[in-house]
Amino acid sequence: MHATAAPLPTRIARVFARFGFTPAPDSIAAEALRTGRSPWKEGVHLLWSFWVFVTPMMGGRYSVRWGLLTLLSYPVFVALYARVFLAPRQQAHWYAVAMAVLCLALMPWYPSGISYFVFGCVMLNAGRRVDFFSWLWQWGVLTSLFVGMGLWIGYPWQVTVWMPIMTLIIGTIVNVERKSEAMDVALKLSHDEVRRLAATAERERIGRDLHDLLGHTLSLITLKLELARKLSERDPPGSLRELEEAERVARHALAEVRSAVTGIRSADLAAELASARLLLESSQVHLDYGAPPAGLPPDTERGLALVLREAATNIARHARASRARIAFETGERFVSMCVDDDGRGGVSVDGNGLAGMRDRVRAMGGTLSIESPSGGGTKLLVRVGLPA
């Protein structure tokens, strides 16, 4: 037998542990592993630390002292950087502060350490979910110390002026990006929660319907059969009547079960409509839609739901719309779904999403047409045939 390879997140965790860097359960790296993302992504930003090695070219020179201080301080900086992402969120903040303190401690002898200060200021909010103004006052304290140290040591005024401005700009950009990422994660979680609640509500509805539908009917059939058994010897005609009545009740129950299943099959499309509304409303797009058609074949129901999901995602990401509409029309031999918006339009080439929708509709034996004049919104029409 061949051993099964460990999943990628597990292998990455083992590499961390091998070097003594085990992510805390609530750390940024652990969260990335849980969501299937690579925690090494944050390591890319370390490329900006190349300024440590080029600073002596700008008005100074390389020396033995610079080499020794780099050899001692740079590994400490990298370890602090790693701890920001591996430590518990409540502690990660202090490793960022330690980067800035490392710079302040080395400022009299090591101008290259200014890069440590930039990383420290920018990463103050990396571990904790605090607002921008909390980060701002922490940045203000650290930059005040930096400016004071720079003036006391006699750093060029350009450094003492531009460094706080640079850290403020970069830190603001990073904070906005992290806020946006957090909102995207929260939005995804809310979408998943809507789908989960819709599925739970549907299961509860099915349970209630089956209990109401079958509980009384099966009890009645049982009583009819018991009575027929008792009458079988002394009243055969009466026994036969009870059997016929039990058969009629069973056939009626079967018809009701089929009707209930038809209603259950429309739940996927209804849940997808609710999810689309949540997605678009969160993107500032007002959505109008009608009730989904009932009694569709399962494959058609499922296919339309997936096409609707992709269409709503495209509107939220690309359309820049303020309103959208979803309408259904059902005929004797067809069902159609129209999704339109008042966005920028101009869709002339099929992307991956639209090509996937065309393939899915084609597999159902239907057609997909799209009208998207530039500046006039986009209208997507799906038409699928139904069996006789």
Side-chain angles (χ1 to χ4, degrees):
M1 296 178 64
H2 297 285
T4 303
L8 180 60
T10 303
R11 296 203 300 271
I12 294 175
R14 289 174 181 172
V15 172
F16 276 129
R18 187 178 304 166
F19 291 95
F21 292 106
T22 303
D26 63 335
S27 64
I28 298 174
E31 182 179 349
L33 289 171
R34 283 193 297 270
T35 56
R37 295 179 288 115
S38 173
W40 299 108
K41 177 177 71 73
E42 300 294 346
V44 175
H45 300 297
L46 274 176
L47 294 175
W48 288 107
S49 65
F50 81 95
W51 286 107
V52 172
F53 304 97
V54 301
T55 298
M57 299 180 184
M58 303 174 181
R61 62 185 179 85
Y62 294 98
S63 63
V64 174
R65 184 176 68 181
W66 177 89
L68 289 175
L69 289 176
T70 301
L71 188 63
L72 293 173
S73 65
Y74 191 76
V76 175
F77 160 72
V78 173
L80 292 173
Y81 183 89
R83 292 302 300 171
V84 170
F85 301 101
L86 298 173
R89 287 187 177 272
Q90 292 300 321
Q91 301 175 13
H93 161 79
W94 295 110
Y95 294 101
V97 173
M99 293 183 204
V101 172
L102 179 64
C103 164
L104 296 175
L106 296 174
M107 277 183 69
W109 312 279
Y110 190 62
S112 292
I114 293 176
S115 296
Y116 307 155
F117 181 82
V118 175
F119 275 89
C121 286
V122 170
M123 299 176 69
L124 284 172
N125 275 4
R128 303 188 302 170
R129 295 186 176 93
V130 297
D131 57 28
F132 174 74
F133 294 102
S134 298
W135 173 85
L136 194 60
W137 77 260
Q138 297 173 67
W139 166 86
V141 171
L142 290 176
T143 51
S144 297
L145 292 174
F146 176 85
V147 171
M149 285 284 293
L151 294 175
W152 177 61
I153 296 170
Y155 269 38
W157 68 268
Q158 295 91 338
V159 175
T160 56
V161 170
W162 279 107
M163 194 54 57
I165 296 176
M166 182 189 306
T167 55
L168 177 62
I169 294 174
I170 298 175
T172 301
I173 294 172
V174 171
N175 273 275
V176 171
E177 290 178 348
R178 286 183 182 144
K179 183 74 171 178
S180 178
E181 291 177 359
M183 292 177 65
D184 289 342
V185 171
L187 181 60
K188 181 180 182 301
L189 290 175
S190 64
H191 292 167
D192 294 341
E193 183 67 11
V194 166
R195 292 191 178 96
R196 187 188 68 80
L197 292 175
T200 301
E202 187 61 20
R203 284 195 296 268
E204 292 176 352
R205 184 181 73 84
I206 292 171
R208 289 193 303 269
D209 289 351
L210 290 178
H211 178 271
D212 296 341
L213 179 63
L214 298 179
H216 172 73
T217 303
L218 292 178
S219 298
L220 180 59
I221 292 174
T222 301
L223 290 175
K224 293 287 185 182
L225 293 177
E226 288 180 354
L227 183 58
R229 178 175 54 81
K230 293 177 181 179
L231 296 175
S232 60
E233 294 182 359
R234 65 174 184 269
D235 188 6
S239 175
L240 182 60
R241 286 195 303 272
E242 294 299 331
L243 289 174
E244 292 174 348
E245 183 68 17
E247 180 184 4
R248 185 186 66 78
V249 173
R251 290 184 182 279
H252 178 69
L254 180 60
E256 288 187 335
V257 168
R258 287 173 176 168
S259 177
V261 169
T262 299
I264 290 170
R265 285 174 177 168
S266 67
D268 287 342
L269 194 53
E272 205 56 54
L273 281 168
S275 179
R277 180 174 184 177
L278 176 65
L279 171 64
L280 295 177
E281 294 286 354
S282 64
S283 303
Q284 310 301 317
V285 181
H286 178 71
L287 176 64
D288 294 317
Y289 63 89
L296 294 178
D299 292 341
T300 302
E301 172 87 16
R302 195 174 304 110
L304 288 177
L306 294 174
V307 170
L308 173 59
R309 178 183 302 180
E310 185 64 34
T313 302
N314 287 343
I315 293 174
R317 290 181 178 176
H318 310 299
R320 298 180 185 173
S322 60
R323 299 184 67 87
R325 183 178 65 92
I326 301 172
F328 299 94
E329 182 182 357
T330 306
E332 292 184 359
R333 293 292 186 89
F334 76 93
V335 60
S336 67
M337 179 177 69
C338 179
V339 183
D340 62 79
D341 64 74
D342 63 352
R344 59 179 179 173
V347 178
S348 57
V349 179
D350 287 4
N352 292 333
L354 191 54
M357 285 191 284
R358 288 191 188 278
D359 292 341
R360 194 177 302 280
V361 174
R362 192 179 300 115
M364 293 188 292
T367 60
L368 183 150
S369 61
I370 182 169
E371 299 175 9
S372 185
S374 181
T378 301
K379 179 179 180 181
L380 184 144
L381 179 63
V382 178
R383 186 183 177 97
V384 179
L386 296 176

